[in-house]
Amino acid sequence: MDFTPTEAQAEARDLAARIFGDLATHERLRAAGTGSDPELWKALCGAGLVAAVEELGLLGLVLLLEEQGRTTAQVPYAASCVYGLLAVTAHGTAEQRDRLLPGIAAGSTVVTGAFPAQPGVRSSTRPGVRPSARPVLSGTVPVVPWLRDATHVLVADAGRRLWLVDLAAGTGVEEVEVELTAPWSAGRLTLDEAPAEPLGAEPAGADRDPDCDADPYPDPYPDLTPGPDAHTHTHTRTHAYADVLATARTAFAGLQAGVCAGSLARAVAHTNAREQFGRPLATRQGVQLRAADAHMDTEAIRVTAYEAAWRRDAGLPYATHALTAAWWASEAGQRVVHTGQHLHGGAGADVDHPVHRHFLWGRQLDAYLGGGGEVLQELGELIAHGD
C-alpha cells in the first residue's frame, strides 16, 4: 500500500493548487454568492484537470479535490468527475463513452448525481425515483447539488438502477432552486415521465419492472454488494450503483479533508497573529491542544480517503474503506470546522469571514451521502455479512 502520488498526480495537484489559489479568492467567492464561478470552471477544464482524472484515477481526484476544499472553490468539479467522467468510464457503454466523455472533459457537459443518502432506499420510506415500463422516469429528488450548473443528471432509481437524464431535453423535467448550507448551486428535481437512458447496456430482454432484481453489470468489487444471503441477481444489479456511491463518498471525503485543512490553516494564522496579554494566542496550551486535535482529525480523513481511493484504482474491494472515509469525513469533519470557528473567537462568528465558509462546507459535507450514524450502521451491516 503506497499513497505516494505519481509524478503526474503531483503535477496535476500543484497545477490545481495554483488555479484555485489564483481564482478562488475571498472577493470572487463573495461575488459568486450561492452560484458557481464560470471563469474558474473554464480555467480548470482548459488546463485539462477534468480530462486528466480518467488517467489519474480516484486517488488523483482526491488529491485535486483537497485543493478545491482548501479554498472552498465554487465549481461542480467533484460532481462532474464522479457522476460523469468516472461513472461513464466504468459503467457506460462504448457509445455512451464516445458521446459523453469528450464534453465532460471539456466542461461543456456537466453531470451531477441525484442519489439518495443510502443504497437500498425505496420510495415508500424516502422520496425516490422509480421507472415505468418505458425508458422514462417519474419522481422527485428533493436536493440535487450543482443541479443549476448541470446539463445531465445521473439518477439512481428506487431499484438501484442508474439512469442518465438530459436536462436540455426539457420534457418532463422541472428544476427548482434550493438553498443549502453550502453554496452548491442546488435544486429540487422533479421528473414526470422524463426520457432517460440506462447507464450501461441492459441484457437482451431485460425486464424493466422496478421490482426485478436482474442487472447486467459485472461485479469486480465483491464487497460493494449485499452479503452471501442475498440473491445473485441482486449482487450484479446493485454493483454499478454501489460503486458510484462508494466512489462519491471517497471523493467527497477528500474534499472534506481539504475543507478542514483550509479551516485549520486559517486558524493557525489567526492565533499566531492575534495577541492576548502580550503573547500570541498560539502560545496558549488550550489553543495548541485544540489545533493538535483538529490536525489529527484532518489527517484521519485524508488517509482513509487515500486508502479507499487507492484500493479502487488497484481493483481491490473498497466498500468498507469508503464507508470508513465517509464516517471520518462526517464525524471528524464537523469537529474540525467547529474548532476553526472557535479559534477565531468573535471573528469566526462573522458570516462574511472566510473561515465561516469552511464551516458551512464542512457541515454540508458532514451530512451529504449519509451522516456519521447512517454510515456507521451501513458499515456494521457489511462487516456482519462478512464483506
Side-chain angles (χ1 to χ4, degrees):
M1 186 183 305
D2 184 4
F3 305 148
T4 304
T6 65
E7 183 178 350
Q9 289 172 338
E11 290 177 353
R13 177 194 59 196
D14 294 343
L15 176 58
R18 289 196 297 272
I19 293 174
F20 285 127
D22 290 343
L23 295 179
T25 62
H26 180 53
E27 293 72 25
R28 289 178 63 88
L29 291 171
R30 287 181 60 189
T34 61
S36 294
D37 186 336
E39 184 179 340
L40 174 56
W41 181 241
K42 182 179 179 180
L44 289 171
C45 297
L49 290 177
V50 176
V53 172
E54 188 174 357
E55 296 297 327
L56 298 177
L58 183 54
L59 180 55
L61 176 59
V62 166
L63 292 169
L64 298 175
L65 290 176
E66 276 193 79
E67 301 306 323
Q68 179 186 0
R70 290 178 197 275
T71 59
T72 60
Q74 292 173 204
V75 285
Y77 191 36
S80 202
C81 286
V82 170
Y83 301 120
L85 192 141
L86 291 179
V88 173
T89 298
H91 304 291
T93 64
E95 187 276 331
Q96 287 173 331
R97 291 194 294 270
D98 291 342
R99 170 165 47 92
L100 295 170
L101 290 180
I104 295 172
S108 57
T109 298
V110 177
V111 185
T112 189
F115 269 53
Q118 293 192 74
V121 66
R122 312 293 280 186
S123 58
S124 60
T125 57
R126 184 181 296 183
V129 180
R130 301 180 71 93
S132 71
R134 296 173 293 158
V136 296
L137 293 179
S138 296
T140 300
V141 183
V143 176
V144 181
W146 293 286
L147 180 63
R148 285 177 266 162
D149 298 329
T151 60
H152 293 71
V153 181
L154 183 64
V155 180
D157 71 10
R160 300 188 186 183
R161 289 184 180 86
L162 299 183
W163 303 83
L164 280 168
V165 176
D166 184 352
L167 298 176
T171 306
V173 177
E174 180 185 7
E175 305 171 48
V176 178
E177 183 174 328
V178 172
E179 297 300 332
L180 300 181
T181 300
W184 283 5
S185 300
R188 181 174 71 248
L189 178 66
T190 301
L191 303 171
D192 184 10
E193 297 192 349
E197 61 174 314
L199 181 65
E202 293 194 327
D207 188 352
R208 281 202 180 97
D209 176 49
D211 294 319
C212 174
D213 283 333
D215 185 43
Y217 303 114
D219 189 15
Y221 306 106
D223 79 340
L224 283 172
T225 48
D229 294 333
H231 297 296
T232 301
H233 285 172
T234 302
H235 280 229
T236 56
R237 195 188 66 163
T238 58
H239 167 67
Y241 171 84
D243 177 46
V244 174
L245 181 60
T247 299
R249 282 171 164 163
T250 303
F252 282 96
L255 183 61
Q256 180 77 300
V259 169
C260 291
S263 176
L264 185 57
R266 292 187 181 278
V268 168
H270 174 80
T271 55
N272 273 283
R274 183 85 170 180
E275 291 190 355
Q276 185 182 60
F277 305 115
R279 294 170 54 192
L281 288 174
T283 63
R284 308 293 176 178
Q285 186 179 45
V287 172
Q288 293 172 358
L289 291 173
R290 288 294 301 274
D293 285 344
H295 172 72
M296 294 305 295
D297 274 338
T298 302
E299 288 301 300
I301 300 170
R302 177 181 290 119
V303 73
T304 52
Y306 284 4
E307 182 178 10
W310 175 84
R311 291 182 66 89
R312 183 187 189 274
D313 292 343
L316 299 172
Y318 72 107
T320 54
H321 303 79
L323 287 167
T324 301
W327 183 85
W328 276 104
S330 176
E331 296 293 313
Q334 62 173 301
R335 288 197 298 265
V336 174
V337 295
H338 275 271
T339 295
Q341 289 270 98
H342 189 192
L343 292 181
H344 275 77
D350 183 358
V351 296
D352 196 43
H353 195 284
V355 78
H356 189 71
R357 187 175 292 107
H358 290 269
F359 176 78
L360 297 178
W361 276 68
R363 290 314 307 259
Q364 187 71 59
L365 287 164
D366 159 28
Y368 183 54
L369 298 177
E374 294 176 278
V375 169
L376 192 62
Q377 179 180 351
E378 190 176 339
L379 177 60
E381 291 170 354
L382 277 179
I383 294 173
H385 280 109
D387 294 333

